[in-house]
Amino acid sequence: MSALTDSDLFQKLGLKHPLIVAPMAGGPSSVDLVAAASAAGALGAMGGAYSNAAAIETFAAQVRQRTDKPFSINLFIPHSIPEVAADRVERAIEATAGYRQELELPSPELSPPYEEDFGPQFEAVLRLKPACFSFVFGLLSADHVREAKKAGIPLIGTATTLEEARALEDSGVDAVTLQGFETGGHRGIFGAKAADPEIGIRDLLAQCAGTIRVPLIAAGGLMTAEDIRAALKAGARAVQMGTAFLACTEAGTSAPYRKKLLETSERRTRTTRAFSGRFARGIENRFMDEMDRKPEGILPFPAQNKFTRDMRGASTAQGSPDFLSLWSGTGKGKLWQGKAADLIERLFA
Ligand SMILES: Cc1cc2nc3c(=O)[nH]c(=O)nc-3n(C[C@H](O)[C@H](O)[C@H](O)COP(=O)(O)O)c2cc1C
């Protein structure tokens, strides 16, 4: 199964700019942001991981009402984890009892499934035929790769190391997003429990450029036109930017999250397993600080993600950033608060 050549994929996408406005599941990648990014000549990307098949279809239909330009859909590769043992859930409940009291939430019950069913999600993608399908957290199964190819949907996998990029290339993807340690949100490391390789985007690009034959998309801490130029010069065919777009008018970023992002241009971020059980980078806050000191109270991914959802929801509703996952990359500077199209124009002026 040969991958499309470099120019084929990006020519096929017909992008005016070599930019993917990052898929950001959980709210920020709103219909308006995806449509605005695509209409402005970048590739808008739906973060569909937390949506069921029907919601993915509705979202895509709404994007298509706003623009006829290409956009992508992004999902999480599923995790096959057994039901979490009752004593671990007990410890997690204990570790968070005070927070739930503060947020006036009842004691939680946790049972599988811990994540959306990937099969129906993927079926929806096949029906929708987006301009491409991107994924994170591992390899797409050979059957799914075959089905996507049959439907004519190009594939983009996510790698945090050269070895992961090689495995993706061997599996038949058409491009690889290289996710540097600077990246906001979940780290795409294949193994949910693995240590973080902590490779920055410059080093990762240097290792992969010339070795990986499919086009490389650079992600992590990229904020400016200069950052884009440097990544393209270092061998990336395109860039993927998330944090830079989080405060755009169209982004579905919640009010307390937005406020925190804009509080200072020197956002202090680090990676934590506290919110989901998987490493993810966000602005430091109380939940992260306190939970990182009691790791025995953190469940494995994706159970922890489901377990903390009520607290994150209540925190948002109460306008507090204390219990929210404030995903953000290491990139500094004041975030753009205007339209996404104007930011894209500035980035490629
Ligand atoms: C709020 C948020 C949510 C994200 N959700 C996803 C996601 O659902 N799928 C994915 O592949 N990457 C996700 N990412 C990572 C982005 O796709 C992208 O790689 C990252 O934002 C690039 O780093 P930057 O934020 O420093 O620009 C997310 C990032 C953020 C900030």
Side-chain angles (χ1 to χ4, degrees):
M1 210 167 335
S2 72
L4 297 171
T5 65
D6 183 28
S7 60
D8 280 340
L9 174 63
F10 282 90
Q11 266 169 18
K12 187 174 168 186
L13 292 174
L15 303 183
K16 186 168 163 204
H17 305 299
L19 166 69
I20 298 173
V21 175
M24 294 185 280
S29 291
S30 62
V31 167
D32 285 345
L33 181 62
V34 175
S38 289
L43 186 72
M46 176 202 182
Y50 306 133
S51 308
N52 64 21
I56 291 171
E57 299 214 32
T58 304
F59 189 104
Q62 288 173 346
V63 173
R64 282 180 172 150
Q65 276 166 10
R66 287 166 173 73
T67 180
D68 59 2
K69 292 284 193 274
F71 65 95
S72 80
I73 299 179
N74 173 274
L75 293 176
F76 292 173
I77 295 297
H79 292 65
S80 54
I81 62 154
E83 189 164 350
V84 183
D87 64 317
R88 288 205 66 179
V89 178
E90 274 312 309
R91 262 180 284 160
I93 290 175
E94 248 168 60
T96 52
Y99 309 141
R100 286 202 167 81
Q101 209 169 9
E102 239 179 89
L103 293 163
E104 296 180 358
L105 288 167
S107 186
E109 277 169 31
L110 183 72
S111 58
Y114 305 120
E115 60 188 348
E116 284 297 331
D117 194 349
F118 183 78
Q121 287 181 319
F122 187 73
E123 290 294 319
V125 171
L126 292 179
R127 281 194 295 278
L128 288 162
K129 291 196 182 20
C132 52
F133 171 64
S134 70
F135 54 91
V136 67
F137 298 158
L139 299 174
L140 196 58
S141 75
D143 282 350
H144 285 143
V145 170
R146 209 172 304 118
E147 287 174 66
K149 299 268 170 194
K150 211 169 111 195
I153 305 170
L155 298 172
I156 303 178
T158 306
T160 62
T161 62
L162 173 60
E163 293 70 33
E164 289 177 352
R166 272 209 185 102
L168 283 163
E169 179 172 55
D170 291 346
S171 76
V173 300
D174 301 291
V176 172
T177 300
L178 296 179
Q179 207 198 51
F181 188 46
E182 302 89 344
T183 297
H186 278 107
R187 300 279 290 127
I189 307 160
F190 282 13
K193 293 182 188 156
D196 193 321
E198 300 188 2
I199 306 170
I201 188 58
R202 276 188 200 174
D203 288 342
L204 192 52
L205 252 180
Q207 289 169 23
C208 294
T211 304
I212 302 298
R213 291 178 314 276
V214 294
L216 300 173
I217 300 156
L222 309 179
M223 304 294 281
T224 64
E226 207 170 90
D227 294 339
I228 296 173
R229 275 197 297 274
L232 298 180
K233 203 169 157 211
R237 177 65 175 85
V239 295
Q240 176 158 300
M241 295 166 72
T243 301
F245 286 86
L246 278 172
C248 282
T249 332
E250 300 93 339
T253 312
S254 71
Y257 184 3
R258 226 173 240 274
K259 190 161 168 246
K260 201 73 192 165
L261 283 162
L262 295 168
E263 209 171 72
T264 158
S265 54
E266 296 297 306
R267 294 166 293 278
R268 276 169 56 100
T269 68
R270 64 179 158 84
T271 59
T272 180
R273 290 188 194 265
F275 290 100
S276 72
R278 242 187 187 278
F279 282 126
R281 180 178 291 281
I283 299 174
E284 292 177 347
N285 70 351
R286 185 179 152 203
F287 188 73
M288 201 194 258
D289 288 344
E290 295 182 7
M291 288 306 295
D292 282 348
R293 286 199 292 268
K294 35 185 174 180
E296 69 290 346
I298 300 176
L299 299 169
F301 184 91
Q304 180 74 359
N305 205 35
K306 186 174 181 182
F307 181 73
T308 62
R309 192 162 290 146
D310 61 336
M311 291 184 279
R312 289 182 276 128
S315 194
T316 306
Q318 294 177 19
S320 160
D322 285 355
F323 303 96
L324 263 184
S325 45
L326 303 163
W327 301 149
S328 174
T330 58
K332 303 289 182 242
K334 197 162 185 285
L335 295 185
W336 180 255
Q337 293 179 71
K339 292 194 163 170
D342 293 337
L343 174 55
I344 292 169
E345 198 174 301
R346 285 167 70 107
L347 289 171
F348 291 94

